């Protein structure tokens, strides 16, 4: 069976919790790449309208194929309004979450590894010693994958991560970045190095090299 030809779009905004150089295995043993992209509500409106259209079309398709589902299906939004953790007020931003499974599994039992393309502003592969911190400006290339989840009777649209371009980097750092330096205070004689770098390999997916 031929692979569906899903539409692709770029989403530009501020990165949050980017895990694009090494898959996260906390919730999925196979590993998953992901990134949240935050965009001001006014700028996000065209993207929201496009995604709403994809979901509405999938809903209409499902009802056409099986009219009895009309009053059973719900439509799941592919984006979320962002709220302040302290005040509970809306921040004026919209969040888009893109994901890619590190291992794909076909119905015939075949499996394979995959990873998103990650490049810098000059479209060069991102160095393996770089860690993308929250607030970095990024362009994220995604496939729009409509779905009907039979278990929940929900129709939606997944944002399948294909690539990420770092436009302006806010490099992630933990430990020492939590505090300011204190003049005259204690200074260790050992310069311990905190390794926060993600592993990244050179990518050879020629089909996707022109995404950015």
């Amino acid at each position: 069976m031929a692979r569906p030809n899903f539409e692709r779009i770029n989403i530009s905004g501020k990165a949050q919790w980017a895990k694009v150089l090494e898959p996260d295995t906390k919730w999925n043993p196979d590993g998953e790449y992901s990134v949240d992209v935050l965009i001001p509500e006014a700028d996000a409106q065209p993207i929201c309208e496009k995604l709403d259209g994809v979901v509405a079309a999938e809903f209409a398709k499902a009802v056409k194929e099986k009219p009895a589902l009309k009053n059973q299906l719900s439509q799941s939004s592919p984006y979320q309004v962002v709220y302040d953790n302290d005040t509970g007020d809306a921040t004026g931003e919209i969040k888009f979450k893109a994901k890619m499974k590190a291992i794909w599994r076909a119905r015939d039992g075949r499996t394979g590894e995959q990873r998103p393309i990650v490049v810098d502003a000059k479209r060069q592969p991102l160095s393996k010693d770089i860690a993308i911190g929250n607030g970095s400006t990024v362009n994220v290339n995604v496939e729009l994958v409509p779905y009907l989840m039979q278990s929940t009777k929900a129709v939606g649209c997944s944002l399948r991560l294909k690539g990420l371009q770092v436009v302006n980097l806010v490099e992630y750092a933990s430990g020492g970045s939590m505090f300011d330096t204190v003049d005259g205070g204690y200074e260790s004689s050992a310069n311990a190095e905190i390794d926060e770098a993600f592993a990244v390999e050179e990518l050879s997916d020629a089909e996707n090299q022109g995404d950015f």
Side-chain angles (χ1 to χ4, degrees):
M1 180 181 294
R3 183 182 183 278
N5 186 23
F6 297 114
E7 181 180 1
R8 286 197 192 188
I9 64 171
N10 280 351
I11 300 177
S12 302
K14 300 294 185 182
Q16 190 174 56
W17 313 122
K19 298 172 183 176
V20 295
L21 298 176
E22 181 177 330
D24 181 13
T25 57
K26 183 175 182 180
W27 306 112
N28 183 346
D30 285 345
E32 184 176 74
Y33 299 95
S34 64
V35 62
D36 294 348
V37 186
L38 306 184
I39 306 178
E41 189 171 356
D43 297 337
Q45 195 60 34
I47 302 174
C48 294
E49 291 177 356
K50 173 176 279 293
L51 296 180
D52 289 342
V54 172
V55 175
E58 186 67 12
F59 180 90
K61 176 184 174 184
V63 171
K64 182 178 180 180
E65 294 175 351
K66 194 172 182 180
L69 290 175
K70 183 175 182 179
N71 296 322
Q72 300 177 33
L73 296 179
S74 61
Q75 298 186 42
S76 180
S77 177
Y79 53 88
Q80 294 82 41
V81 174
V82 180
Y83 294 94
D84 186 275
N85 290 332
D86 296 324
T87 66
D89 297 330
T91 65
E93 294 178 308
I94 301 294
K95 179 173 70 176
F96 301 87
K97 189 174 189 67
K99 297 180 180 181
M100 171 194 274
K101 294 180 180 179
I103 297 178
W104 56 263
R105 300 181 182 278
R107 292 182 178 180
D108 61 6
R110 292 178 299 121
T111 64
E113 295 184 4
Q114 60 184 353
R115 62 177 62 87
I117 291 174
V118 184
V119 298
D120 62 19
K122 300 296 185 182
R123 298 195 300 178
Q124 299 302 309
L126 203 65
S127 173
K128 64 181 181 180
D129 61 352
I130 296 298
I132 304 169
N134 291 349
S136 297
T137 304
V138 296
N139 295 324
V140 179
N141 186 260
V142 299
E143 283 184 333
L144 308 184
V145 185
Y147 65 83
L148 166 57
M149 190 173 294
Q150 294 289 349
S151 60
T152 62
K153 293 294 188 293
V155 176
C157 176
S158 296
L159 306 182
R160 183 179 292 164
L161 177 64
K162 301 302 292 184
L164 181 145
Q165 180 183 40
V166 178
V167 179
N168 288 303
L169 177 68
V170 176
E171 192 167 358
Y172 172 79
S174 64
S177 64
M178 297 171 61
F179 307 101
D180 294 329
T181 59
V182 180
D183 293 336
Y186 170 75
E187 182 177 355
S188 173
S189 59
N191 293 320
E193 181 179 351
I194 301 175
D195 182 9
E196 294 293 343
F198 291 117
V200 61
E201 299 179 13
E202 184 174 350
L203 303 171
S204 59
D205 190 342
E207 177 185 356
N208 294 328
Q209 291 295 339
D211 285 339
F212 303 105

